[in-house]
Each structure stands twice: as structure tokens, then as C-alpha cells.
Amino acid sequence: MFVSGTTSLDSRGRVQGKDAAQQTLVTMRKIEAGLKSAGAALKDLTRLTIFVTDIRDMGAVSKALAKALKGSVVTSTLVAVSALAVSGLLVEIESTAVVKG
């Protein structure tokens, strides 16, 4: 099993992406890289929990997720929170995947 919670922060702790959609795409690329290093792929995701600081971003986040998931269907929950750990972060995604082998 692969479990990861991540954001669009770069290696220096800077927020990447000016809006929720861009931050979602950056975060999903990081999740995809983590899956690859564990011998898995996006198709192995079983669950996503998406935290957003503004529920009005739900549509943009959903579209970005659909683009990032490349047709994979994943059970997900979207939760609105008052803030995330670093100022400027709009999205955080926790992912779970089943890694075979």
C-alpha cells in the first residue's frame, strides 16, 4: 500500500501554482512521481482526500483532477478547511494506492 499526503510546495518550501487548479496539477504530478518510485501508477490509486481552503474551487479542482488522472476513476472526498500549513496553499491531497508485487 502506498499512502501520501502532499501539496504543491517545491523543495524549498515555496508554493507552486497561482490558483487551486494549478496547485492540484502540481500536487498530482508529485503523487504520480511517488507512485512511480514505489513501482505503481495513477491507475493504482484507490482513494483521494482533497483539502481546499475555498469550497468554491471545487469545480476547478475537479477538472484538474480529471486531467491529471488521465481517465482513471478514483474514489475521492473533498473537504473545505480554514487553512493549510503554509500560507498560499489552496489544495492538499492525500492519496492511497494498492501496489502489487
Side-chain angles (χ1 to χ4, degrees):
M1 181 175 293
F2 174 88
V3 179
S4 171
T6 194
T7 64
S8 66
L9 293 178
D10 67 11
S11 61
R12 292 181 163 181
R14 297 175 298 198
V15 175
Q16 303 300 298
K18 65 178 181 173
D19 60 30
Q22 289 179 353
Q23 288 188 23
T24 298
L25 290 173
V26 170
T27 302
M28 288 304 296
R29 282 195 297 271
K30 290 173 66 177
I31 290 170
E32 185 173 24
L35 287 165
K36 186 176 180 181
S37 71
L42 290 173
K43 66 178 178 54
D44 298 309
L45 286 172
T46 58
R47 180 181 64 89
L48 296 173
T49 304
I50 304 106
F51 300 93
V52 296
T53 59
D54 189 338
I55 197 66
R56 293 172 293 190
D57 287 332
M58 183 175 77
V61 168
S62 293
K63 285 180 185 176
L65 280 172
K67 182 178 180 179
L69 290 171
K70 305 170 186 169
S72 294
V73 178
V74 180
T75 301
S76 64
T77 302
L78 185 107
V79 181
V81 295
S82 60
L84 293 168
V86 174
S87 179
L89 280 175
L90 305 173
V91 178
E92 181 171 340
I93 301 174
E94 180 181 278
S95 62
T96 304
V98 173
V99 180
K100 298 171 184 149

